[in-house]
Amino acid sequence: VSFGYKQMGVAMDGKFRKFVAKLNFDPSKPAAANAQIDIDLASIDTGTSEGDEEVAGKQWFNSRAFPSAKFVSTRVKSLGADRFEVAGKLSIKGKSVDAIAPFTFKPQGNVGAFDGTLLIKRLDFAIGEGPWADVSTVANEVQIKFHIVANAAPAAAAPKK
């Protein structure tokens, strides 16, 4: 899971090293799909240890009080071919917001690759409070990108007679 934003007009990026994804997805039945993704906010990698420490603090993620971000799907629909859209609730720092993310799904043998993007506004979650709420310093828009490779569920065994 990676993210991109602008700081003082300069494109910046980072990533989260730890997350857990629970997925139930059959591309032929997208309406029956569901997903839950939990991101360990302390696993952030901004590129510098000083940056990592700053965003863990109270004015940013306050990761001691709110150690994870969570996305829980409410709907998945097909957009045609290998393109889909997932809607759900994104919860960060005690605040939940409706979110929609387009994604692609590509089966590759016994695994499937999910790639998508979600655009959020950091101030909707009180990320960057106090002097950091000034969007001329750090932009309000943050693009979250995900690439998740998941194993296919093992085929159910036939019932014994």
Side-chain angles (χ1 to χ4, degrees):
V1 176
S2 64
F3 58 91
Y5 61 99
K6 288 192 176 182
Q7 184 170 330
M8 298 179 73
V10 177
M12 308 289 285
D13 59 14
K15 63 185 173 187
F16 292 95
R17 291 186 214 102
K18 295 179 186 174
F19 68 93
V20 175
K22 296 176 186 172
L23 309 170
N24 179 12
F25 182 76
D26 178 341
S28 66
K29 301 174 187 169
N34 58 62
Q36 178 177 315
I37 300 170
D38 292 290
I39 298 171
D40 178 350
L41 295 176
S43 75
I44 194 165
D45 181 354
T46 64
T48 68
S49 59
E50 296 85 13
D52 297 349
E53 289 172 21
E54 176 66 32
V55 297
K58 287 185 179 183
Q59 292 183 332
W60 289 93
F61 285 124
N62 193 2
S63 58
R64 281 190 175 200
F66 304 100
S68 66
K70 180 181 286 203
F71 176 82
V72 178
S73 68
T74 55
R75 174 183 54 79
V76 177
K77 71 177 185 179
S78 175
L79 300 176
D82 62 353
R83 298 176 314 118
F84 299 86
E85 179 181 88
V86 60
K89 292 278 186 192
L90 178 63
S91 301
I92 306 173
K93 203 174 173 183
K95 300 184 181 347
S96 293
V97 173
D98 290 328
I100 296 176
F103 70 93
T104 60
F105 174 75
K106 294 186 179 164
Q108 301 165 345
N110 284 339
V111 300
F114 298 83
D115 287 283
T117 303
L118 172 65
L119 186 65
I120 67 166
K121 294 183 185 267
R122 66 179 179 86
L123 295 179
D124 289 350
F125 302 96
I127 299 171
E129 297 180 74
W132 296 108
D134 178 1
V135 296
S136 67
T137 303
V138 178
N140 194 24
E141 292 78 24
V142 178
Q143 185 180 56
I144 300 169
K145 295 179 184 177
F146 57 90
H147 172 74
I148 300 171
V149 177
N151 292 322
K160 293 183 180 183
K161 294 184 180 185

